[in-house]
Amino acid sequence: MEKVKVASAAGRSLQLGGILFLVIVLGIPVFPATASSADISELTERANKGEAEAQTALADRYRNGDGVPKNISEAERWYRKAADQGMVDAQSTLGKMYRDGEGVPQNSAEAVKWY
């Protein structure tokens, strides 16, 4: 009977170890991440300085309401700034927004331009 308990406990330890491995190595989040006001302030400061990566990240936050109130118009504004600098992710997202009419008038020609 003791051997069964030990084997069972060892199996659970291996399972938990495997899960922990995936979390650490693959970066799988255990809890959803939310942006703090300090993160948003820093991101906004960098975006205002013209950093395309920060502009795209800030746009993502506004589009999803992550750490800031959801604001599609503000998201579009930041995506456009980054897209104008050649940021591919921002260009693609703008294309999707125009394709779907998300926060902007639906416009296939504008969508194709950004794709």
Side-chain angles (χ1 to χ4, degrees):
M1 191 72 110
E2 282 299 310
K3 287 183 180 181
V4 172
K5 287 182 181 177
V6 170
S8 178
R12 279 194 301 273
S13 292
L14 287 174
Q15 260 184 333
L16 290 174
I19 292 169
L20 184 59
F21 172 81
L22 291 174
V23 168
I24 293 170
V25 172
L26 299 178
I28 299 170
V30 178
F31 302 103
T34 55
S36 71
S37 59
D39 294 337
I40 298 299
S41 294
E42 179 200 348
L43 204 52
T44 302
E45 183 178 324
R46 290 178 38 224
N48 281 324
K49 288 180 181 177
E51 291 182 31
E53 294 86 1
Q55 291 168 341
T56 303
L58 189 57
D60 288 340
R61 301 288 173 93
Y62 278 111
R63 186 173 183 216
N64 299 315
D66 180 14
V68 294
K70 187 172 182 173
N71 185 331
I72 300 298
S73 297
E74 192 67 7
E76 187 270 338
R77 182 174 81 86
W78 286 111
Y79 282 129
R80 185 170 298 276
K81 285 177 179 283
D84 286 341
Q85 294 185 70
M87 189 71 176
V88 175
D89 291 344
Q91 292 170 340
S92 175
T93 302
L94 270 178
K96 290 175 194 167
M97 291 173 75
Y98 277 102
R99 179 194 68 200
D100 299 338
E102 180 188 352
V104 295
Q106 190 171 13
N107 184 328
S108 296
E110 192 71 11
V112 168
K113 169 187 162 185
W114 289 112
Y115 280 135

